[in-house]
Amino acid sequence: MDISYILNELGEDREHYFNAVAPPIVQASNFAFKTVDAMSKAFEDEMGGYLYSRGLNPTVDILRKKLAALDQAEDCLVFNSGAAAIFAGVLANVKSGDHIVSVKNPYSWAQKMFDVVLPRFGVQTTYIDGTRLENWQLAAKDNTSFFYLESPNSWDFALQPLQEVAAFAKERRIVTMIDNSYSTPVYQPVIPLGIDLAMQTATKYIGGHSDTLGGVLCGSHAMMKKIFDSEYLGTGSGIQPFNAWLLIRGLRTLQARLERVSRSTQEVLAFLKQHPAIESVIFPFDTSFPQLELARKQMKDAFGLMTLVLKTDNRQSIVRFCESLKHILMAVSWGGHESLVIPKCAGIPAADFNPANREHRYVRLYVGLEEPSYIIEDLRQALSRM
Ligand SMILES: *Cc1c(COP(=O)(O)O)cnc(C)c1O
């Protein structure tokens, strides 16, 4: 399907709302029925029509249709955050006694679910280096029901061979889910590779303006219905109509923003790679990246996030670099208009800082929508103060 059609037209029924170009926010909790039969039908299958906005809502439905099409999936559910989408996707597919295999260092709240929540219900998780198919094969046990992927992974951008892992999982009837937030389905379509559940946080590139949260799960009708009838309705974690409207608004400019971020990333990367205060830059499409070939095979492009390894033997110079930035903000999240940094050492007690551990010298950079020269100048002056 044409991406311009998806972003500008699909799911929109303008003649039903005064031919307004932007859709209305249907800010209603409940929907009225004319007949008892119609109400009965809605009770029987809440995914079949409008009953109550904890289930379906017309504004959210426009967004669902667009996001399903972007992912080349049959259906989609949109949650109030990416973390809520992860929880629902995993919980719906495991039961007491099951075993999960996950990439090591998945998104922090996925890891918390695996380490803290699921063991209370008798579900155990094994973390592996997901870069090689053999590691998934070796880790799979008789009771393994779920593979959790994140490609590229945070900070080191490690990739998993998606098509191979999905094919092996299918043979073993193991459900696969991926956190596809880095690439989005536009640059890494994962459903055509055989992945069952495609998750992305909508807080990042879909929203794009750092003003709302959201989370996306895409997959088959049957899978989405299973999640809708249980976790989605039961936890009430669906997105609110206004936030859905903001995400539809974000989608209008998704491609233009991603193209801009991609071009700027190239310029910023070229500057950083030759800077004497930078030991190396970790970035999936860089010639120094150990999985460059796989990156080029399964991703159409890489941009936005990269990890800088600063050349220093002390924490203070990392602090000086981050605190000297005049325009680039120090904040979590990414995917918005604003460039951002997070120093890894902010999450490590100062006394434990060890410069011999290269990870302690990581600073994650997100390249936003500012002029590349503006971003580079800010990096240059802050690096000079290290
Ligand atoms: C932000 C993020 C999430 C979580 O999304 P929220 O919308 O913040 O809940 C999950 N995975 C990745 C890779 C993220 O960057």
Side-chain angles (χ1 to χ4, degrees), residues 80-84 86 107 148 150 152 154 179 181-182 199 201-204 213-215 305 333-334 364:
N80 215 14
S81 70
I86 295 171
Y107 182 68
Y148 188 84
E150 183 180 328
S154 286
D179 183 337
S181 299
Y182 182 100
M199 176 269 161
T201 165
T203 310
K204 314 293 165 58
L213 278 81
L305 287 175
S333 199
W334 52 278
R364 193 183 76 179

